[in-house]
C-alpha cells in the first residue's frame, strides 16, 4: 500500500529514473527482494513499459543475499 514511506509511485519513479539515467542501456538488471510493493500489479505494469528493466528476484527467504539484513541484525542486537 501507499502507507509505506516508499510506495508504488516511488518505486515506479525509481525505475523510470534508471532508464532515463542510462538511455543507451539494452538491459538494466534490478535485484529485488520479495517486498509486496515490488510485485504489485501497478509496479509490474510499469516495468512492462520499460523494456530495459529486467527484474532479478531474490529467493523468497534469503537474508544472506540482502545486505540490509546485516544492518537489521546488528540493530536488533544493540
Amino acid at each position: 500500500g501507499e502507507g509505506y514511506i516508499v510506495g508504488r509511485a516511488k518505486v515506479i519513479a525509481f525505475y523510470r529514473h534508471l532508464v532515463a539515467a542510462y538511455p543507451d542501456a539494452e538491459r538494466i538488471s534490478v535485484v529485488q527482494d520479495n517486498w509486496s510493493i515490488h510485485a504489485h500489479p501497478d509496479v509490474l505494469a510499469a516495468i512492462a513499459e520499460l523494456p530495459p528493466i529486467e527484474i532479478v528476484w531474490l529467493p523468497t527467504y534469503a537474508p544472506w543475499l540482502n545486505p540490509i539484513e546485516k544492518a537489521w541484525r546488528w540493530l536488533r542486537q544493540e
Side-chain angles (χ1 to χ4, degrees):
E2 291 303 319
Y4 291 105
I5 293 170
V6 175
R8 296 183 304 246
K10 288 187 181 180
V11 171
I12 292 167
F14 172 72
Y15 297 141
R16 290 180 178 148
H17 177 77
L18 278 177
V19 171
Y22 300 97
D24 297 329
E26 292 181 26
R27 177 176 35 198
I28 301 170
S29 297
V30 179
V31 178
Q32 295 186 153
D33 61 14
N34 290 282
W35 181 34
S36 60
I37 292 290
H38 292 153
H40 189 280
D42 294 348
V43 173
L44 296 177
I47 291 168
E49 294 175 4
L50 299 167
I53 299 287
E54 174 190 42
I55 301 301
V56 179
W57 295 98
L58 290 175
T60 302
Y61 185 72
W64 60 91
L65 295 175
N66 190 346
I68 194 65
E69 293 294 337
K70 292 177 186 174
W72 295 134
R73 185 174 52 240
W74 178 78
L75 286 170
R76 282 192 297 267
Q77 290 173 352
E78 295 299 313

